[in-house]
């Protein structure tokens, strides 16, 4: 039995079963950064392995020094391209947990959307490919050789993936890598993404006195680490919103005129964008449009800050310590290690006297940009047109998939970024969700994509 | 039986009983700002009432819209002055509770110090006066008419004390008010304090987007309330450590040359002071000594800050909101309401676009300064010399007792500030403590003070 030529698979998709299985996956609280959730990580990996094995894949769970990797392969299309699908089964922490309408690990459908931590990032998008393979297999053999690599450490910087890729380089060999881990440009704009920002993530810890002090008895003379931390953070940007870290912009590859024009033509309204996030205005670096700021310019955002008394009422204390998590999104040309080093060198120089500053390197990821003329990108374009009835837009995205650069470097294959979600899904936020329609269309996209990649290889 | 003339009461003091009773008091977690501790507040008040009644005081617990007031009087010295002792039985919150060596509400003696929340602030110091009265009563009648007013809301700004004073103005009438709620200048320097700083305490809340956002998908365009809050806080002081709020210093009464000289003569070493708090340096307003900065100059300190992800590891989020608690210590001439208004007017002007700023007024207190030539201050000087064998120093203190100004205004009596603790007690910090010796000397100081006040009235 061989795969028939491309046909309309939509009528053949078992939506109930596809959703029920995703719910099972979403119920497991696989928060990779939470050391108390280690068991849930193993359960999630085993769930995926068993599913892929049931589809006829040779599937296994590979232990790593951190959370395990699920690897599966189905190699029954001799002479056809080999596709590697990457996804991650770990999720962001669920806090602030009080802001969820329904519990983060009890998936629930409201108004056509599946609400749960990981619904879109990345359990939902990764599982769409699993069900895409299942859909094709229900009609015959797979049109390509297919490999799955599903890791459990994406949300903590994938510390063990690079050594895993190195160790399994031969086994993972492929012609194209497919990743769905982001948001397409808009609900009605199927998108092929050709660039990702990178990341440098640090933590700053400031120590004043060796103990908390009474602000009356000591205020005016004692160092205040919270005030100091605020001074440091405020000093990292100038009044034009530009980052003041020496050398920060030196290696940035500027946006091309072609890119700026292409993006200016995309349907975008600053007013609607601001309204969509409930913001009264959009601050940012002077001289760039909103899309340019998000897709093509580096940033510096404080992701968290703490120190002193955070409870109800008032407490007249000068805290002994304060801290903040700070990250920079990076663009092509910038190197995460170099930016991290520049931050580590510069931040202590901004501290007022009397405080000790420690800067900790959390993790980073390389920015990437791919060739818009690749035949695989064109195959994705056709697959999306079959699902959505319109050609895809070509954009970048502001997020990072730090390991994409590792894939390209170690495995030597181009990476197709076919995002199945939308920004409104609320990645990393309370009440993360994934539209049912997007999940089902994602399954169809995956199936058509495999067919189109097989066809592209025939016409070569 | 009448009180004998001044004699050495030290040999008569029952230290075991005095400590055992203080321990009972410290075991009750009377945190006034914590609404779940309401029952403990009532228990503490009742404990004090019962004790004072057992000494022959007419004692009662008066309910208020908040926590109750303990009032007691012993009026059996016709023709002698009436002394009102004020103290507070509420304590600061115990957090960060993980930093306590022994649990905050299980008092324990280590190396001659009593460790517990409230050990010095103010249960220990207030109870020294109760036991001082008991010591005098064990020898006969009290040499003065004595009133106790012990409130339960000092740590939350005494919202109900002013109306209480107004309502009980006649009953509370007195010749001098005695308060022990602070730290003397140094272990070997008995101190009479003639000035206190005031306080203006606010909370700043900053809102960016209406929900937490992914820092990749939105970073560069979305408002970041944490960065904004840091900009605001950094903007509240200039590089000389001066506060930039318009008009902030306009009404400050400058230090006199006499005060600056008197304080310069006090035994003080910046190096030792910095070492005592484990700080590498002492920042602060340019042009003033450390004592001047603490006693005689206003401040602005952030007491707490929060926003975004504070957990283990990293989370690439742009928070929807952030907040900080900020307080200013005020000096004579400044008005808390006026400073609060100036802060509320100025802070929103420092906010970058895209964020909403709300400023909340928590509480304030008037700064005060008393006449150094008062006969009561001289009586305190003599009482301290009898306990410590040396004359008292005259200083101010950086802390606030917001209701001191209310006492002076409503009851029309001078206030004696006789501090029984030391800075090393760690008021408001984890591991708050009170030296056993200071507690016992405090009991003697209270007893001698009543005798000296009685004598001062005879010589008038």
């Amino acid at each position: 039995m061989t795969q028939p030529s491309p046909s309309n698979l939509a009528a053949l998709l078992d939506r109930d079963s596809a959703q029920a299985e995703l719910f099972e996956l979403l119920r497991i609280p696989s928060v990779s950064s939470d050391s108390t959730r280690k068991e849930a990580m193993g359960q999630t990996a085993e769930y995926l392995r068993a599913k892929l094995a049931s589809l006829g894949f040779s599937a296994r769970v590979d232990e790593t020094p951190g959370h395990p990797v699920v690897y599966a392969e189905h190699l029954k299309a001799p002479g056809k391209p080999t596709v590697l699908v990457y996804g991650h089964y770990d999720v962001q922490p669920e806090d602030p947990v009080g802001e969820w309408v329904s519990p983060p690990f009890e998936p629930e459908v409201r108004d056509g959307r599946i609400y749960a931590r990981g619904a879109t990032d990345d359990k939902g998008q990764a599982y769409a490919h699993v069900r895409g393979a299942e859909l094709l297999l229900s009609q015959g053999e797979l049109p390509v050789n297919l490999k799955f690599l599903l890791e459990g450490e994406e949300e903590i910087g994938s510390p063990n993936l690079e050594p895993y890729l190195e160790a399994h380089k031969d086994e993972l060999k492929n012609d194209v890598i497919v990743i769905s881990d982001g948001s397409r440009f808009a609900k009605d704009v199927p998108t092929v993404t050709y660039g990702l920002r990178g990341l440098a993530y640090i933590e700053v810890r400031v120590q004043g006195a060796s103990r908390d002090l009474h602000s009356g008895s000591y205020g005016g003379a004692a160092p205040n680490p919270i005030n100091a931390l605020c001074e440091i953070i405020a000093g990292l940007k100038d009044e034009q919103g530009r980052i003041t870290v020496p050398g920060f912009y030196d290696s940035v590859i500027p946006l091309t005129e072609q890119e700026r024009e292409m993006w200016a033509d995309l349907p975008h309204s600053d007013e609607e964008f601001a309204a969509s996030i409930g913001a009264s205005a959009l601050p940012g670096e002077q001289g760039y449009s909103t899309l340019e700021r998000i897709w093509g310019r580096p940033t510096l955002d404080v992701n968290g800050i703490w120190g002193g008394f955070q409870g109800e009422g008032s407490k007249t204390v000068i805290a002994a310590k304060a801290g903040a998590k700070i990250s920079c999104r990076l663009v092509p040309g910038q190197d995460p290690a170099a930016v991290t080093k520049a931050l580590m060198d510069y931040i202590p120089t901004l501290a007022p006297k009397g405080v000790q500053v420690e800067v900790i390197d959390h993790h980073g990821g390389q920015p990437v940009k791919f060739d818009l003329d690749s035949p695989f990108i064109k195959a994705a374009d056709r697959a999306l047109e079959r699902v959505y009835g319109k050609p895809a837009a070509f954009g970048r995205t502001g997020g990072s998939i730090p390991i994409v650069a590792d894939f390209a470097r170690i495995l030597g294959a181009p990476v197709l970024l076919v995002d199945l979600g939308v920004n409104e899904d609320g990645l990393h936020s309370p009440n993360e969700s994934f539209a049912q329609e997007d999940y089902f269309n994602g399954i169809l996209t995956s199936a058509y994509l495999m067919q189109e990649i097989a066809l592209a290889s025939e016409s070569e």
Side-chain angles (χ1 to χ4, degrees), chain A:
Chain A
M1 187 170 75
T2 57
Q3 185 69 24
S5 57
S7 64
N8 188 345
L9 296 171
L12 303 168
L13 172 57
D14 181 349
R15 289 168 171 77
D16 290 345
S17 155
Q19 179 169 305
E21 284 181 5
L22 177 58
F23 271 38
E24 289 177 30
L25 198 56
L26 293 172
R27 285 192 190 102
I28 318 176
S30 50
V31 180
S32 49
S33 65
D34 183 346
S35 51
T36 68
R37 257 82 177 254
K38 198 161 174 51
E39 199 181 330
M41 300 304 296
Q43 286 169 1
T44 317
E46 172 52 27
Y47 183 95
L48 292 164
R49 186 207 62 76
K51 173 67 185 182
L52 286 160
S54 78
L55 296 179
F57 281 72
S58 163
R60 61 176 201 259
V61 172
D62 287 338
E63 293 303 323
T64 76
H67 300 300
V69 166
V70 178
Y71 179 71
E73 59 182 27
H74 192 286
L75 310 176
K76 298 179 184 168
K80 290 292 176 185
T82 298
V83 179
L84 173 68
V85 171
Y86 163 84
H88 65 90
Y89 66 84
D90 65 323
V91 300
Q92 280 279 313
E94 68 272 33
D95 66 81
V97 72
E99 296 191 13
W100 287 78
V101 173
S102 53
F105 299 109
E106 297 175 22
E108 181 175 298
V109 173
R110 296 195 297 276
D111 296 330
R113 303 190 71 86
I114 299 164
Y115 285 87
R117 172 56 86 222
T120 188
D121 179 17
D122 182 45
K123 284 177 174 170
Q125 296 194 58
Y127 209 68
H129 288 285
V130 175
R131 294 290 309 205
E134 183 170 9
L135 182 57
L136 290 169
L137 285 163
S138 74
Q139 304 306 305
E141 270 305 342
L142 293 181
V144 296
N145 299 294
L146 185 55
K147 298 176 177 180
F148 274 95
L149 172 56
L150 305 171
E151 72 148 326
E153 302 189 309
E154 197 271 346
E155 301 293 3
I156 54 170
S158 303
N160 295 297
L161 193 68
E162 186 177 340
Y164 185 92
L165 296 183
E166 294 281 8
H168 298 81
K169 190 160 38 176
D170 292 338
E171 188 173 42
L172 293 168
K173 201 167 157 41
N174 64 80
D175 297 292
V176 60
I177 298 163
V178 173
I179 301 178
S180 299
D181 190 28
S183 303
R184 59 188 194 277
F185 184 72
K187 192 171 173 355
D188 300 321
V189 184
T191 313
V192 175
T193 300
Y194 71 97
L196 295 168
R197 290 196 292 193
L199 183 70
Y201 200 116
I202 59 165
E203 182 168 327
V204 179
R205 296 180 185 167
V206 181
Q207 175 95 37
S210 57
R211 58 185 165 90
D212 287 358
L213 299 171
H214 188 293
S215 74
S217 308
Y218 291 94
N224 186 318
I226 305 179
N227 288 71
L229 180 59
C230 291
E231 279 181 54
I232 290 169
I233 290 169
L236 291 170
K237 287 194 196 178
D238 68 16
E239 293 192 353
Q240 277 69 50
R242 281 178 66 89
I243 295 150
T244 58
V245 180
F248 186 82
Y249 294 99
D250 287 358
S251 57
V252 167
I253 298 171
L255 293 170
T256 64
E257 274 312 303
Q258 183 203 6
E259 285 175 304
R260 299 188 81 164
E261 283 165 20
M262 187 166 71
W263 296 352
D265 287 343
L266 286 171
H268 170 86
S269 147
D270 273 1
E271 290 66 32
E272 283 171 24
F273 182 84
S276 76
I277 58 172
S280 57
L282 300 175
E285 187 185 6
Q286 299 293 304
Y288 294 91
S289 74
T290 297
L291 287 183
E292 288 165 358
R293 287 172 177 170
I294 296 175
W295 290 353
R297 295 296 297 171
T299 67
L300 185 145
D301 272 304
V302 182
N303 306 108
I305 194 166
W306 60 90
F309 182 65
Q310 306 183 342
E312 185 189 352
S314 57
K315 185 178 179 189
T316 46
V317 67
I318 297 177
K321 43 197 171 186
K325 299 191 193 259
I326 301 175
S327 62
C328 289
R329 295 286 167 176
L330 309 179
V331 297
Q334 288 184 299
D335 176 58
V339 168
T340 299
K341 183 175 183 309
L343 285 164
M344 290 177 119
D345 288 346
Y346 184 54
I347 283 174
T349 70
L350 296 176
K353 73 172 185 174
V355 299
Q356 311 294 325
V357 177
E358 183 189 9
V359 186
I360 295 155
D361 177 9
H362 269 310
H363 67 83
Q366 292 284 346
V368 286
K369 206 174 125 183
F370 292 104
D371 179 9
L372 279 171
D373 296 324
S374 149
F376 296 114
I377 282 189
K378 294 186 194 307
D381 192 14
R382 285 193 301 274
L384 287 166
E385 186 157 6
R386 287 175 66 192
V387 177
Y388 296 92
K390 58 178 73 170
F394 294 87
R396 295 200 216 167
T397 186
S400 311
I401 311 181
I403 42 66
V404 167
D406 293 336
F407 275 113
R409 183 174 54 80
I410 299 169
L411 304 182
V415 181
L416 272 189
L417 298 169
V418 184
D419 301 319
L420 304 175
V422 292
N423 273 337
E424 289 69 22
D425 294 346
L427 286 78
H428 294 209
S429 295
N431 303 307
E432 176 181 346
S433 66
F434 194 26
Q436 289 174 297
E437 187 186 6
D438 281 345
Y439 176 49
F440 302 139
N441 280 339
I443 295 169
L444 295 174
T445 298
S446 179
Y448 291 150
L449 179 59
M450 301 308 154
Q451 292 181 333
E452 294 294 341
I453 287 172
L455 285 173
S457 74
E458 280 170 14
S459 63
E460 266 175 9

